Amino acid sequence: MPRPVPISEIPGIPPQRVALLKKMGLNTRDDLLFHLPRRYEDRLDPISLAIAPEGEPITVAARVIRSKLNRWRGGRAVFEAILQPLHPDDRAEGLRALWFSAYYLMKSFVADMEILLYGKAKRDKNGKGWVMTHPEFEIMEHDGDESIHLNRIVPIYALTEGLPQRALRRLLYRVVKEMPVLIDDPHPFPDDLPPLREALPQSHFPDSWEAQIAARRRLVYDEFFVQQCILCRRRMSREKIFKSRAQVAAPSAKGKAVVPPLHAAFLATLPFAPTGAQARAMAEIDRDLQLPTPMNRLLQGDVGSGKTLVAVHAMLRAVERGEAAALMAPTEILAEQHYLNLKRWLDPLGISVGLHTGSKKKGDRSPLDNEPLLRSLFGNKGSITVGTHALIHDGFVADKLGLVVIDEQHKFGVMQRLALSRKASHPDILVMTATPIPRTLAMSVYGDLDASILDELPPGRGKIVTACRGEADLPKVWKFIRDETAAGRQAYVVYPLIDESDKIEAKAVQKEYERLKVELAPARVGLLHGRLKPDEKDEVMTQFRNNEIQVLVSTPVIEVGVDVPNSTIMVIENAERFGLAQLHQLRGRIGRGGNKSYCVLVGQPKSEESWRRLKVMEQTTDGFKIAEEDLRIRGPGDILGTDQSGLPPLRFGDPLRDFEMLRRAKTDAEELLRVDPELKKYPSLKAILEGDGARRQSLASVS
Ligand code: ADP
Ligand code: MG
């Protein structure tokens, strides 16, 4: 590989600028090449304000007439520039630009100066011309560099303080246009994509939008390709360890039944038959368990699709082998509920189920909760423990932990998941999620997991009707709850809670609870929030489960997992404060029995956009569609933190928008590693994957 050229060796860059670039992590010429624009401006075909698409940012050229600082009461100041648009069709119109609290701009603007503004333009309220609020701007200088900054598709870069846009652009222009781009392609790539030596220059100073798109596709492909190589190599190395282990280990290490198969006996005790999707997932798990490598499976299924049953199946397989299984849930309420369910299902089979949360540690057959006892539970017979995070620490010991199940895995970070599986040597792992991860995202993040999908709800589920209402409609909503509870149904009323530990918020639900107790009488109302003591939470949940209370006023602590089939109403107040995925989760608490259910989203959305967002809930109950919509609105970061995967964040690609590219990169990466697992033919790819510092970082942000 050619030696990287330090920026300081590029002629004509002043040392203080080299220092600024260094501050941005740009040390070599290649770093500069991979510092791609964050966006582009079309300065080739200026568009008239009069026909610009409404609500979309545009670039406007204008001359400064005058500027001033307006002080407002309360100390806020607005910097205002009165401008003359330069587009011939806009000559008759005025344009104002406003910047709040921007004293520093005072010196920038001089009458007659020409500037370019980028932002959204609106009709001015005074009826004369246009106004732009907080536009980005660039001063047009007639310094002979017009061919770089004007009359083309112009790159706009991320900057650091003290580094002007034009200076960085000029530098990149020189690097790209005046020095040969000697970057070799580190790995094979599809024919219809340009080589890097073409893609990089074109992504800085594209000759056309087509060229820019093609160049971006290439960089996105490379990014996904490297990511998929990492995932594929992880999987291969895991398989290698276990192949060699399997050869030395006694043949009975896995798969040997200590007790007779429990699967059939278990199904026989259930009041229902598994759905087709559940049966398929169980078979996929059984197949994994035949292999010498540990299982690493994601079970993805919409709320209410019956993931618990599949988990129990997997846990029974561990018990059959004489091993222990642990199920970790994100809340005590959910752990408790799983515990009760599992006891109900497994008691008839004589299998002990333990509970291990922060406040409770119990083995099934003994009131004592100490370690030796837990240990004794995991004797030769194999056993099952349900718990919360407390399983990770708090003295939870499982001698032969063969399976770890993580429920609602999106609620845990990657470290917590690993911590539990480290309690044993390479246990089988099943992670379950009900916040449906769009397939696209799952593939990029969990490329090294196998996935089972429950795409079918158990039969006999009542329909759910969803309606968005304003606060003025609340009296009608309460009347509806009174009628339905009188008819034997139950209801949830949920209030947002930003911080579980927040006393003020807890008080707020407390107040609503006092009010609703009166409003909803004679129905009995209970209160649940995160600051209750575990015993109190239990008490309320038990009463609700037994229909001793009909309405549960709650914070989102009931968001995940809670399963009370007789409840058919979900009212969510301040619904605009929830993400769609979370609303979907909450709504998943109803529609679990045979009766028709109702979800009412009460809110005062401030904008058209946030109403539109809520309305998505009226249109679909398909969790995957909702998750994709959420992803579209909020970006992947909010749904899955990057710590979920242990992979570096993506810089160029978007797994949703660029799904096709992701798929190609995955296939290609697997194929390449199959034929050339040691990457003998691609040493630079190997260097990227194995950490050749700067280059690796710049090429695909793989750190
Ligand atoms: P989730 O996938 O949201 O975790 P659960 O496992 O809590 O769903 O299941 C939701 C409800 O459906 C539970 O009451 C469970 O007993 C019930 N259930 C699960 N599988 C079936 C089935 N095959 N037929 C009928 N009901 C089922
Ligand atoms: Mg569940």
Side-chain angles (χ1 to χ4, degrees):
M1 241 187 292
R3 186 184 73 89
V5 182
I7 289 181
S8 55
E9 286 177 24
I10 304 176
I13 307 185
Q16 66 273 34
R17 195 144 285 166
V18 173
L20 279 177
L21 292 168
K22 191 169 173 154
K23 212 172 101 191
M24 298 174 70
L26 306 173
N27 298 304
T28 65
R29 206 191 59 158
D30 285 3
D31 290 348
L32 279 177
L33 280 173
F34 281 99
H35 183 64
L36 294 189
R38 64 182 169 83
R39 63 178 179 85
Y40 302 86
E41 278 183 22
D42 188 345
R43 297 185 184 170
L44 207 55
D45 300 308
I47 189 163
S48 148
L49 279 163
I51 61 160
E54 201 176 323
E56 269 177 48
I58 51 164
T59 307
V60 181
R63 174 176 301 112
V64 176
I65 298 174
R66 65 192 138 80
S67 63
K68 61 178 185 219
L69 191 68
N70 302 322
R71 284 188 191 281
W72 283 4
R73 257 180 304 167
R76 236 152 85 94
V78 188
F79 182 74
E80 178 178 17
I82 309 289
L83 306 158
Q84 170 64 60
L86 294 183
H87 194 282
D89 294 349
D90 296 336
R91 286 276 152 79
E93 305 252 20
L95 172 65
R96 291 192 303 142
L98 300 173
W99 290 271
F100 293 100
S101 310
Y103 308 92
Y104 59 93
L105 288 179
M106 286 174 63
K107 292 197 211 89
S108 316
F109 287 70
V110 179
D112 268 350
M113 166 188 269
E114 288 178 0
I115 59 175
L116 288 159
L117 299 147
Y118 175 82
K120 290 180 194 169
K122 279 201 301 215
R123 272 279 170 204
D124 204 342
K125 276 202 217 72
N126 66 18
K128 288 178 284 180
W130 302 82
V131 63
M132 291 174 94
T133 309
H134 262 290
E136 292 179 34
F137 71 93
E138 186 175 321
I139 296 164
M140 289 196 264
E141 284 166 36
H142 298 281
D143 54 4
D145 275 349
E146 287 84 351
S147 60
I148 303 179
H149 307 294
L150 293 173
N151 306 321
R152 61 157 57 251
I153 299 169
V154 179
I156 310 288
Y157 297 98
L159 300 170
T160 190
E161 203 182 328
L163 180 65
Q165 186 65 250
R166 289 169 70 90
L168 182 57
R169 191 183 298 135
R170 199 181 304 118
L171 171 59
L172 269 155
Y173 191 82
R174 283 179 48 211
V175 168
V176 165
K177 296 279 181 177
E178 294 166 16
M179 307 169 81
V181 174
L182 288 173
I183 294 217
D184 288 327
D185 295 299
H187 52 75
F189 58 93
D191 304 342
D192 59 332
L193 299 178
L196 281 183
R197 63 185 66 205
E198 198 176 303
L200 283 167
Q202 286 298 325
S203 43
H204 288 280
F205 294 93
D207 293 333
S208 63
W209 287 111
E210 290 74 42
Q212 186 268 325
I213 289 166
R216 178 180 177 275
R217 280 164 56 82
R218 171 61 207 267
L219 293 166
V220 167
Y221 176 85
D222 281 24
E223 184 172 54
F224 285 143
F225 186 83
V226 167
Q227 184 194 55
Q228 293 302 321
C229 281
I230 296 177
L231 291 171
C232 186
R233 275 161 56 106
R234 270 193 206 164
R235 185 198 289 254
M236 284 164 65
S237 74
R238 223 180 30 232
E239 278 168 9
K240 210 156 81 190
I241 296 174
F242 283 93
K243 271 193 195 115
S244 56
R245 259 197 212 179
Q247 278 159 10
V248 283
S252 66
K254 205 166 184 183
K256 184 180 151 216
V258 174
V259 289
L262 294 163
H263 175 75
F266 169 56
L267 291 189
T269 63
L270 282 180
F272 47 73
T275 63
Q278 284 169 324
R280 212 176 323 120
M282 292 177 191
E284 283 162 354
I285 287 170
D286 284 348
R287 221 173 306 134
D288 287 354
L289 297 178
Q290 301 297 313
L291 301 172
T293 27
M295 170 168 81
N296 197 21
R297 186 166 283 277
L298 171 71
L299 178 62
Q300 195 178 290
D302 210 342
V303 284
S305 58
K307 293 182 290 295
T308 320
L309 186 70
V310 178
V312 170
H313 169 77
M315 292 194 279
L316 288 179
R317 289 297 191 216
V319 172
E320 285 172 3
R321 297 193 305 260
E323 294 174 349
L327 167 64
M328 181 161 77
T331 64
E332 295 210 353
I333 294 170
L334 184 49
E336 183 94 14
Q337 175 185 287
H338 277 324
Y339 170 71
L340 294 174
N341 259 335
L342 263 57
K343 266 173 64 81
R344 197 173 39 148
W345 284 346
L346 301 180
D347 265 351
L349 304 179
I351 294 167
S352 61
V353 180
L355 178 67
H356 190 100
T357 66
S359 63
K360 285 190 191 155
K361 294 163 187 66
K362 54 188 172 198
D364 194 16
R365 303 214 176 99
S366 166
L368 294 173
D369 46 355
N370 56 23
E371 245 181 65
L373 193 88
L374 269 168
R375 219 184 262 278
S376 77
L377 288 174
F378 301 112
N380 292 330
K381 261 193 71 207
S383 183
I384 291 176
T385 305
V386 179
T388 55
H389 303 82
L391 286 170
I392 301 174
H393 17 264
D394 267 18
F396 170 70
V397 195
D399 275 344
K400 291 164 84 186
L401 188 58
L403 169 72
V404 164
V405 183
I406 311 227
D407 193 15
E408 311 288 352
Q409 67 81 33
H410 60 284
K411 293 273 171 184
F412 296 99
V414 93
M415 296 327 288
Q416 289 172 311
R417 297 192 323 240
L418 288 177
L420 183 55
S421 46
R422 289 218 182 92
K423 293 240 164 175
S425 126
H426 299 279
D428 295 309
I429 297 173
L430 180 66
V431 300
M432 312 202 287
T433 187
T435 285
I437 304 168
R439 243 175 62 70
T440 48
L441 207 55
M443 191 159 140
S444 94
V445 176
Y446 297 111
D448 64 338
L449 281 189
D450 301 296
S452 293
I453 297 181
L454 299 183
D455 51 5
E456 181 185 349
L457 291 181
R461 290 285 164 85
K463 201 172 135 51
I464 303 182
V465 180
T466 302
C468 299
R469 293 287 180 266
E471 275 166 21
D473 296 316
L474 275 175
K476 278 189 233 153
V477 176
W478 305 141
K479 170 160 189 334
F480 183 63
I481 293 188
R482 283 194 302 270
D483 293 348
E484 286 289 298
T485 48
R489 304 281 92 79
Q490 287 171 276
Y492 301 94
V493 182
V494 177
Y495 293 89
L497 184 68
I498 293 159
D499 174 4
E500 283 265 343
S501 65
D502 192 332
K503 278 187 202 155
I504 301 169
E505 300 270 351
K507 246 192 226 152
V509 253
Q510 177 83 36
K511 226 172 87 194
E512 297 294 344
Y513 161 69
E514 306 289 349
R515 207 166 59 80
L516 288 181
K517 255 196 328 202
V518 180
E519 181 80 51
L520 299 177
R524 279 182 306 276
V525 183
L527 172 67
L528 188 68
H529 59 73
R531 289 182 65 88
L532 293 180
K533 296 205 185 67
D535 278 353
E536 298 169 327
K537 284 187 209 165
D538 268 12
E539 173 73 22
V540 177
M541 276 316 293
T542 307
Q543 287 178 338
F544 189 64
R545 236 173 246 129
N546 298 339
N547 200 359
E548 288 154 20
I549 52 185
Q550 285 77 49
V551 181
L552 191 60
V553 174
S554 171
T555 60
V557 282
I558 55 146
E559 173 188 345
V560 288
V562 168
D563 185 41
V564 180
N566 190 47
S567 39
T568 53
I569 302 175
M570 168 64 65
V571 176
I572 302 172
E573 287 219 44
N574 295 106
E576 73 280 358
R577 284 167 63 181
F578 292 89
L580 289 186
Q582 205 184 0
L583 290 174
H584 180 66
Q585 282 280 340
L586 284 166
R587 181 171 60 183
R589 301 308 116 221
I590 55 169
R592 293 183 162 240
N595 292 304
K596 189 166 171 184
S597 290
Y598 303 88
C599 175
V600 188
L601 304 176
V602 184
Q604 300 290 34
K606 302 221 165 32
S607 65
E608 204 46 36
E609 169 66 22
S610 63
W611 262 121
R612 213 155 32 83
R613 203 174 64 95
L614 278 187
K615 293 269 176 192
V616 172
M617 298 295 296
E618 284 184 350
Q619 287 142 24
T620 181
T621 51
D622 178 337
F624 286 84
K625 279 206 194 107
I626 289 169
E628 301 230 336
E629 184 68 13
D630 230 20
L631 192 64
R632 200 179 60 69
I633 297 171
R634 305 197 296 165
D638 280 12
I639 294 188
L640 284 179
T642 41
D643 79 322
Q644 292 285 326
S645 60
L647 283 178
L650 294 167
R651 282 167 76 199
F652 312 134
D654 169 343
L656 190 60
R657 217 169 56 153
D658 305 311
F659 179 60
E660 195 42 39
M661 205 51 102
L662 171 58
R663 209 185 48 74
R664 276 166 85 174
K666 181 170 158 54
T667 318
D668 295 353
E670 282 166 357
E671 176 62 16
L672 179 71
L673 285 165
R674 196 180 58 76
V675 253
D676 184 4
E678 298 303 320
L679 295 172
K680 292 210 173 69
K681 275 175 69 190
Y682 300 99
S684 19
L685 174 61
K686 193 167 171 158
I688 291 168
L689 296 174
E690 286 170 8
D692 171 17
R695 171 66 200 246
R696 184 172 110 132
Q697 194 192 11
S698 64
L699 191 59
S701 73
V702 177
S703 54

